[in-house]
Each structure stands twice: as C-alpha cells, then as structure tokens.
Tab-separated table of all heavy atoms in Angstrom:
chain	number	residue	atom	x	y	z
X	150	LEU	N	-2.322	-10.396	-17.996
X	150	LEU	CA	-3.395	-10.466	-18.983
X	150	LEU	C	-4.133	-9.134	-19.060
X	150	LEU	O	-4.402	-8.509	-18.039
X	150	LEU	CB	-4.397	-11.563	-18.613
X	150	LEU	CG	-3.886	-12.992	-18.673
X	150	LEU	CD1	-4.912	-13.956	-18.111
X	150	LEU	CD2	-3.549	-13.366	-20.115
X	151	ARG	N	-4.478	-8.730	-20.280
X	151	ARG	CA	-5.252	-7.515	-20.523
X	151	ARG	C	-6.276	-7.835	-21.589
X	151	ARG	O	-6.008	-8.578	-22.515
X	151	ARG	CB	-4.364	-6.382	-21.019
X	151	ARG	CG	-3.329	-5.968	-20.011
X	151	ARG	CD	-2.052	-5.583	-20.718
X	151	ARG	NE	-0.948	-5.601	-19.802
X	151	ARG	CZ	-0.355	-4.520	-19.342
X	151	ARG	NH1	-0.744	-3.343	-19.715
X	151	ARG	NH2	0.654	-4.627	-18.499
X	152	ALA	N	-7.441	-7.227	-21.469
X	152	ALA	CA	-8.481	-7.402	-22.489
X	152	ALA	C	-9.068	-6.047	-22.819
X	152	ALA	O	-9.304	-5.215	-21.929
X	152	ALA	CB	-9.573	-8.342	-21.986
X	153	LEU	N	-9.247	-5.822	-24.108
X	153	LEU	CA	-9.760	-4.542	-24.597
X	153	LEU	C	-10.692	-4.791	-25.770
X	153	LEU	O	-10.686	-5.854	-26.373
X	153	LEU	CB	-8.613	-3.650	-25.073
X	153	LEU	CG	-7.512	-3.393	-24.071
X	153	LEU	CD1	-6.233	-4.065	-24.509
X	153	LEU	CD2	-7.284	-1.920	-23.930
X	154	SER	N	-11.438	-3.764	-26.121
X	154	SER	CA	-12.186	-3.799	-27.356
X	154	SER	C	-11.176	-3.885	-28.502
X	154	SER	O	-10.142	-3.229	-28.469
X	154	SER	CB	-13.020	-2.534	-27.500
X	154	SER	OG	-13.536	-2.448	-28.810
X	155	ALA	N	-11.473	-4.695	-29.511
X	155	ALA	CA	-10.595	-4.788	-30.672
X	155	ALA	C	-11.105	-3.915	-31.817
X	155	ALA	O	-10.700	-4.077	-32.950
X	155	ALA	CB	-10.472	-6.232	-31.125
X	156	VAL	N	-11.984	-2.968	-31.498
X	156	VAL	CA	-12.553	-2.076	-32.501
X	156	VAL	C	-11.847	-0.728	-32.420
X	156	VAL	O	-11.958	-0.011	-31.412
X	156	VAL	CB	-14.073	-1.901	-32.294
X	156	VAL	CG1	-14.654	-0.939	-33.312
X	156	VAL	CG2	-14.784	-3.242	-32.357
X	157	CYS	N	-11.102	-0.381	-33.475
X	157	CYS	CA	-10.384	0.889	-33.502
X	157	CYS	C	-11.375	2.046	-33.346
X	157	CYS	O	-12.459	2.025	-33.922
X	157	CYS	CB	-9.620	1.019	-34.824
X	157	CYS	SG	-8.653	2.543	-34.937
X	158	THR	N	-10.971	3.037	-32.572
X	158	THR	CA	-11.858	4.181	-32.322
X	158	THR	C	-11.872	5.179	-33.475
X	158	THR	O	-12.589	6.165	-33.412
X	158	THR	CB	-11.445	4.909	-31.025
X	158	THR	OG1	-10.095	5.376	-31.138
X	158	THR	CG2	-11.566	3.983	-29.825
X	159	HIS	N	-11.130	4.908	-34.540
X	159	HIS	CA	-11.136	5.792	-35.695
X	159	HIS	C	-12.279	5.426	-36.652
X	159	HIS	O	-13.250	6.160	-36.752
X	159	HIS	CB	-9.778	5.750	-36.417
X	159	HIS	CG	-9.703	6.597	-37.627
X	159	HIS	ND1	-9.214	6.113	-38.819
X	159	HIS	CD2	-10.060	7.870	-37.865
X	159	HIS	CE1	-9.271	7.072	-39.722
X	159	HIS	NE2	-9.778	8.155	-39.175
X	160	LEU	N	-12.185	4.261	-37.296
X	160	LEU	CA	-13.214	3.861	-38.264
X	160	LEU	C	-13.696	2.423	-38.051
X	160	LEU	O	-14.136	1.761	-38.982
X	160	LEU	CB	-12.695	4.017	-39.700
X	160	LEU	CG	-12.467	5.454	-40.162
X	160	LEU	CD1	-11.889	5.472	-41.576
X	160	LEU	CD2	-13.773	6.248	-40.129
X	161	ASP	N	-13.593	1.943	-36.822
X	161	ASP	CA	-14.120	0.613	-36.444
X	161	ASP	C	-13.417	-0.575	-37.100
X	161	ASP	O	-13.986	-1.659	-37.169
X	161	ASP	CB	-15.625	0.519	-36.692
X	161	ASP	CG	-16.412	1.449	-35.797
X	161	ASP	OD1	-15.891	1.879	-34.753
X	161	ASP	OD2	-17.572	1.755	-36.150
X	162	CYS	N	-12.200	-0.410	-37.579
X	162	CYS	CA	-11.430	-1.555	-38.066
X	162	CYS	C	-11.032	-2.424	-36.873
X	162	CYS	O	-11.004	-1.954	-35.739
X	162	CYS	CB	-10.159	-1.088	-38.778
X	162	CYS	SG	-10.468	-0.132	-40.270
X	163	THR	N	-10.707	-3.673	-37.123
X	163	THR	CA	-10.258	-4.575	-36.053
X	163	THR	C	-8.768	-4.424	-35.848
X	163	THR	O	-7.993	-4.537	-36.797
X	163	THR	CB	-10.620	-6.025	-36.391
X	163	THR	OG1	-12.033	-6.128	-36.556
X	163	THR	CG2	-10.185	-6.984	-35.278
X	164	VAL	N	-8.362	-4.166	-34.611
X	164	VAL	CA	-6.957	-4.011	-34.273
X	164	VAL	C	-6.326	-5.372	-34.020
X	164	VAL	O	-7.022	-6.348	-33.755
X	164	VAL	CB	-6.760	-3.085	-33.047
X	164	VAL	CG1	-7.317	-1.697	-33.310
X	164	VAL	CG2	-7.393	-3.685	-31.804
X	165	LYS	N	-5.012	-5.444	-34.073
X	165	LYS	CA	-4.251	-6.675	-33.807
X	165	LYS	C	-3.095	-6.339	-32.859
X	165	LYS	O	-2.620	-5.208	-32.814
X	165	LYS	CB	-3.641	-7.229	-35.111
X	165	LYS	CG	-4.624	-7.495	-36.208
X	165	LYS	CD	-5.380	-8.753	-35.972
X	165	LYS	CE	-6.253	-9.052	-37.190
X	165	LYS	NZ	-7.364	-9.858	-36.926
X	166	TYR	N	-2.650	-7.354	-32.129
X	166	TYR	CA	-1.476	-7.193	-31.276
X	166	TYR	C	-0.224	-7.403	-32.113
X	166	TYR	O	-0.138	-8.349	-32.894
X	166	TYR	CB	-1.514	-8.192	-30.128
X	166	TYR	CG	-0.305	-8.096	-29.225
X	166	TYR	CD1	-0.087	-6.963	-28.459
X	166	TYR	CD2	0.617	-9.117	-29.169
X	166	TYR	CE1	1.030	-6.850	-27.641
X	166	TYR	CE2	1.744	-9.031	-28.345
X	166	TYR	CZ	1.941	-7.880	-27.598
X	166	TYR	OH	3.043	-7.784	-26.797
X	167	ARG	N	0.754	-6.506	-31.970
X	167	ARG	CA	2.039	-6.622	-32.669
X	167	ARG	C	3.111	-7.023	-31.652
X	167	ARG	O	3.615	-6.182	-30.903
X	167	ARG	CB	2.437	-5.285	-33.305
X	167	ARG	CG	1.583	-4.804	-34.447
X	167	ARG	CD	2.065	-5.320	-35.797
X	167	ARG	NE	3.469	-5.131	-36.015
X	167	ARG	CZ	4.010	-4.140	-36.733
X	167	ARG	NH1	3.240	-3.218	-37.284
X	167	ARG	NH2	5.315	-4.075	-36.886
X	168	PRO	N	3.454	-8.316	-31.588
X	168	PRO	CA	4.452	-8.752	-30.605
X	168	PRO	C	5.821	-8.114	-30.816
X	168	PRO	O	6.563	-7.915	-29.861
X	168	PRO	CB	4.511	-10.274	-30.780
X	168	PRO	CG	3.773	-10.601	-32.007
X	168	PRO	CD	2.932	-9.418	-32.374
X	169	ASP	N	6.165	-7.786	-32.069
X	169	ASP	CA	7.459	-7.172	-32.335
X	169	ASP	C	7.568	-5.779	-31.711
X	169	ASP	O	8.642	-5.330	-31.329
X	169	ASP	CB	7.745	-7.111	-33.831
X	169	ASP	CG	6.644	-6.376	-34.621
X	169	ASP	OD1	5.461	-6.435	-34.223
X	169	ASP	OD2	6.972	-5.750	-35.643
X	170	LEU	N	6.429	-5.089	-31.598
X	170	LEU	CA	6.410	-3.745	-30.996
X	170	LEU	C	5.843	-3.737	-29.579
X	170	LEU	O	5.930	-2.740	-28.886
X	170	LEU	CB	5.546	-2.811	-31.864
X	170	LEU	CG	5.969	-2.643	-33.321
X	170	LEU	CD1	4.928	-1.819	-34.073
X	170	LEU	CD2	7.336	-1.987	-33.394
X	171	GLN	N	5.208	-4.844	-29.181
X	171	GLN	CA	4.491	-4.946	-27.909
X	171	GLN	C	3.455	-3.825	-27.790
X	171	GLN	O	3.312	-3.181	-26.756
X	171	GLN	CB	5.444	-4.978	-26.720
X	171	GLN	CG	6.319	-6.218	-26.741
X	171	GLN	CD	7.203	-6.343	-25.522
X	171	GLN	OE1	7.113	-5.597	-24.571
X	171	GLN	NE2	8.084	-7.332	-25.554
X	172	LYS	N	2.727	-3.618	-28.898
X	172	LYS	CA	1.691	-2.590	-28.970
X	172	LYS	C	0.513	-3.142	-29.767
X	172	LYS	O	0.619	-4.158	-30.460
X	172	LYS	CB	2.228	-1.336	-29.632
X	172	LYS	CG	3.364	-0.694	-28.840
X	172	LYS	CD	3.616	0.715	-29.247
X	172	LYS	CE	4.690	1.416	-28.493
X	172	LYS	NZ	5.337	0.846	-27.411
X	173	ILE	N	-0.605	-2.451	-29.697
X	173	ILE	CA	-1.798	-2.806	-30.463
X	173	ILE	C	-1.838	-1.899	-31.683
X	173	ILE	O	-1.689	-0.680	-31.569
X	173	ILE	CB	-3.056	-2.629	-29.586
X	173	ILE	CG1	-2.956	-3.520	-28.347
X	173	ILE	CG2	-4.314	-2.947	-30.394
X	173	ILE	CD1	-3.949	-3.176	-27.251
X	174	HIS	N	-2.044	-2.497	-32.842
X	174	HIS	CA	-1.928	-1.769	-34.114
X	174	HIS	C	-3.211	-1.896	-34.933
X	174	HIS	O	-3.811	-2.964	-34.998
X	174	HIS	CB	-0.752	-2.368	-34.900
X	174	HIS	CG	-0.534	-1.750	-36.226
X	174	HIS	ND1	-0.720	-2.423	-37.396
X	174	HIS	CD2	-0.140	-0.488	-36.579
X	174	HIS	CE1	-0.438	-1.631	-38.408
X	174	HIS	NE2	-0.093	-0.458	-37.950
X	175	CYS	N	-3.604	-0.802	-35.557
X	175	CYS	CA	-4.690	-0.811	-36.523
X	175	CYS	C	-4.076	-0.579	-37.906
X	175	CYS	O	-3.526	0.489	-38.167
X	175	CYS	CB	-5.729	0.265	-36.210
X	175	CYS	SG	-7.079	0.235	-37.424
X	176	ALA	N	-4.178	-1.585	-38.752
X	176	ALA	CA	-3.566	-1.505	-40.076
X	176	ALA	C	-4.331	-0.600	-41.032
X	176	ALA	O	-3.774	-0.181	-42.039
X	176	ALA	CB	-3.446	-2.906	-40.672
X	177	CYS	N	-5.572	-0.270	-40.737
X	177	CYS	CA	-6.370	0.555	-41.660
X	177	CYS	C	-5.716	1.916	-41.915
X	177	CYS	O	-5.609	2.341	-43.068
X	177	CYS	CB	-7.774	0.760	-41.127
X	177	CYS	SG	-8.772	-0.735	-41.166
X	178	HIS	N	-5.298	2.590	-40.865
X	178	HIS	CA	-4.679	3.914	-41.018
X	178	HIS	C	-3.473	4.076	-40.115
X	178	HIS	O	-3.143	5.178	-39.685
X	178	HIS	CB	-5.706	5.018	-40.759
X	178	HIS	CG	-6.823	4.986	-41.737
X	178	HIS	ND1	-8.045	4.438	-41.431
X	178	HIS	CD2	-6.896	5.398	-43.012
X	178	HIS	CE1	-8.839	4.528	-42.493
X	178	HIS	NE2	-8.168	5.095	-43.473
X	179	ASN	N	-2.817	2.960	-39.776
X	179	ASN	CA	-1.583	2.937	-38.988
X	179	ASN	C	-1.737	3.523	-37.590
X	179	ASN	O	-0.838	4.184	-37.084
X	179	ASN	CB	-0.456	3.629	-39.757
X	179	ASN	CG	0.889	3.046	-39.397
X	179	ASN	OD1	0.984	1.894	-39.001
X	179	ASN	ND2	1.930	3.849	-39.504
X	180	GLY	N	-2.879	3.283	-36.975
X	180	GLY	CA	-3.082	3.725	-35.588
X	180	GLY	C	-2.356	2.792	-34.631
X	180	GLY	O	-2.216	1.598	-34.884
X	181	MET	N	-1.877	3.334	-33.520
X	181	MET	CA	-1.131	2.548	-32.542
X	181	MET	C	-1.646	2.852	-31.144
X	181	MET	O	-1.911	4.009	-30.811
X	181	MET	CB	0.355	2.897	-32.644
X	181	MET	CG	1.268	1.902	-32.000
X	181	MET	SD	1.388	0.326	-32.856
X	181	MET	CE	2.236	0.797	-34.357
X	182	TYR	N	-1.804	1.792	-30.352
X	182	TYR	CA	-2.252	1.891	-28.956
X	182	TYR	C	-1.257	1.162	-28.058
X	182	TYR	O	-0.628	0.192	-28.480
X	182	TYR	CB	-3.604	1.205	-28.775
X	182	TYR	CG	-4.738	1.744	-29.592
X	182	TYR	CD1	-4.991	1.276	-30.881
X	182	TYR	CD2	-5.598	2.714	-29.075
X	182	TYR	CE1	-6.054	1.747	-31.624
X	182	TYR	CE2	-6.673	3.194	-29.810
X	182	TYR	CZ	-6.886	2.709	-31.085
X	182	TYR	OH	-7.946	3.180	-31.812
X	183	ASP	N	-1.156	1.606	-26.798
X	183	ASP	CA	-0.330	0.859	-25.850
X	183	ASP	C	-1.159	-0.301	-25.280
X	183	ASP	O	-2.325	-0.479	-25.639
X	183	ASP	CB	0.257	1.770	-24.768
X	183	ASP	CG	-0.756	2.344	-23.784
X	183	ASP	OD1	-1.909	1.870	-23.712
X	183	ASP	OD2	-0.388	3.286	-23.069
X	184	LEU	N	-0.594	-1.070	-24.373
X	184	LEU	CA	-1.276	-2.254	-23.841
X	184	LEU	C	-2.406	-1.904	-22.876
X	184	LEU	O	-3.164	-2.788	-22.477
X	184	LEU	CB	-0.274	-3.186	-23.158
X	184	LEU	CG	0.757	-3.809	-24.097
X	184	LEU	CD1	1.632	-4.791	-23.362
X	184	LEU	CD2	0.115	-4.452	-25.299
X	185	ASN	N	-2.537	-0.639	-22.515
X	185	ASN	CA	-3.677	-0.201	-21.714
X	185	ASN	C	-4.762	0.408	-22.601
X	185	ASN	O	-5.757	0.916	-22.108
X	185	ASN	CB	-3.239	0.824	-20.669
X	185	ASN	CG	-2.340	0.196	-19.637
X	185	ASN	OD1	-2.612	-0.892	-19.132
X	185	ASN	ND2	-1.219	0.843	-19.338
X	186	GLY	N	-4.542	0.383	-23.927
X	186	GLY	CA	-5.519	0.893	-24.864
X	186	GLY	C	-5.414	2.375	-25.153
X	186	GLY	O	-6.211	2.921	-25.902
X	187	GLN	N	-4.408	3.046	-24.583
X	187	GLN	CA	-4.241	4.479	-24.839
X	187	GLN	C	-3.714	4.689	-26.246
X	187	GLN	O	-2.785	4.023	-26.670
X	187	GLN	CB	-3.257	5.096	-23.825
X	187	GLN	CG	-3.758	5.069	-22.395
X	187	GLN	CD	-5.039	5.852	-22.231
X	187	GLN	OE1	-5.153	6.985	-22.662
X	187	GLN	NE2	-6.018	5.242	-21.585
X	188	ASN	N	-4.336	5.616	-26.996
X	188	ASN	CA	-3.882	5.877	-28.351
X	188	ASN	C	-2.552	6.612	-28.321
X	188	ASN	O	-2.362	7.574	-27.588
X	188	ASN	CB	-4.953	6.627	-29.155
X	188	ASN	CG	-5.677	7.695	-28.390
X	188	ASN	OD1	-5.951	7.542	-27.211
X	188	ASN	ND2	-5.988	8.787	-29.054
X	189	LEU	N	-1.597	6.100	-29.119
X	189	LEU	CA	-0.247	6.631	-29.148
X	189	LEU	C	0.040	7.434	-30.411
X	189	LEU	O	0.754	8.427	-30.360
X	189	LEU	CB	0.772	5.495	-29.050
X	189	LEU	CG	0.716	4.649	-27.786
X	189	LEU	CD1	1.647	3.455	-27.912
X	189	LEU	CD2	1.057	5.474	-26.576
X	190	SER	N	-0.469	6.960	-31.550
X	190	SER	CA	-0.184	7.646	-32.816
X	190	SER	C	-1.250	7.288	-33.835
X	190	SER	O	-2.035	6.359	-33.649
X	190	SER	CB	1.195	7.246	-33.339
X	190	SER	OG	1.235	5.864	-33.637
X	191	GLY	N	-1.236	8.033	-34.927
X	191	GLY	CA	-2.208	7.818	-35.981
X	191	GLY	C	-3.491	8.573	-35.694
X	191	GLY	O	-3.560	9.391	-34.778
X	192	PRO	N	-4.546	8.261	-36.453
X	192	PRO	CA	-5.791	9.040	-36.321
X	192	PRO	C	-6.740	8.639	-35.200
X	192	PRO	O	-7.715	9.355	-34.990
X	192	PRO	CB	-6.451	8.819	-37.695
X	192	PRO	CG	-5.956	7.497	-38.140
X	192	PRO	CD	-4.544	7.396	-37.615
X	193	PRO	N	-6.549	7.518	-34.451
X	193	PRO	CA	-7.557	7.186	-33.436
X	193	PRO	C	-7.762	8.335	-32.439
X	193	PRO	O	-6.807	8.818	-31.828
X	193	PRO	CB	-6.985	5.963	-32.732
X	193	PRO	CG	-6.113	5.322	-33.758
X	193	PRO	CD	-5.518	6.469	-34.523
X	194	PRO	N	-9.028	8.768	-32.274
X	194	PRO	CA	-9.306	9.911	-31.403
X	194	PRO	C	-9.447	9.563	-29.917
X	194	PRO	O	-9.347	10.440	-29.062
X	194	PRO	CB	-10.630	10.449	-31.936
X	194	PRO	CG	-11.325	9.242	-32.473
X	194	PRO	CD	-10.219	8.367	-33.029
X	195	ARG	N	-9.693	8.287	-29.600
X	195	ARG	CA	-9.945	7.873	-28.220
X	195	ARG	C	-9.232	6.567	-27.914
X	195	ARG	O	-8.935	5.792	-28.828
X	195	ARG	CB	-11.445	7.647	-27.982
X	195	ARG	CG	-12.306	8.873	-28.093
X	195	ARG	CD	-13.792	8.553	-27.923
X	195	ARG	NE	-14.293	7.444	-28.749
X	195	ARG	CZ	-14.531	7.512	-30.067
X	195	ARG	NH1	-14.299	8.616	-30.725
X	195	ARG	NH2	-14.999	6.461	-30.716
X	196	PRO	N	-9.027	6.276	-26.639
X	196	PRO	CA	-8.456	4.978	-26.248
X	196	PRO	C	-9.429	3.837	-26.539
X	196	PRO	O	-10.632	4.049	-26.707
X	196	PRO	CB	-8.241	5.114	-24.737
X	196	PRO	CG	-8.365	6.550	-24.430
X	196	PRO	CD	-9.213	7.166	-25.488
C-alpha cells in the first residue's frame, strides 16, 4: 500500500492511478509519476 497527495505539482489537477502502466498519471498535461510519487515525465516540477 502507498498513499500520496493526488494534487499534481504542475497546476494542481487531480492525478489518477493507471493500472495499465502501473504509474500515476495527470491527464491535464500528461504528467507521469512512479508509485513513490517521483515525477517521471511531463511538466510536473516536483514529486
């Protein structure tokens, strides 16, 4: 189990879990985070 803020660090959109990718995704600007909340791609500036 992991729990994180669901507020994207880019523009405060709500992120969702993508089971197909096993990653956390922000649909607003295609930001992607790993399961530890580390930003992987897109515009999010912080985990």
Side-chain angles (χ1 to χ4, degrees):
L150 294 172
R151 297 144 199 253
L153 305 112
S154 168
V156 178
C157 182
T158 60
H159 178 229
L160 292 177
D161 294 340
C162 296
T163 301
V164 300
K165 304 282 186 204
Y166 179 66
R167 292 272 311 261
D169 56 328
L170 302 173
Q171 295 185 8
K172 297 197 179 355
I173 301 165
H174 179 247
C175 180
C177 290
H178 297 101
N179 209 27
M181 197 71 68
Y182 300 88
D183 69 14
L184 295 184
N185 294 314
Q187 295 299 311
N188 40 324
L189 299 172
S190 64
R195 294 177 311 285

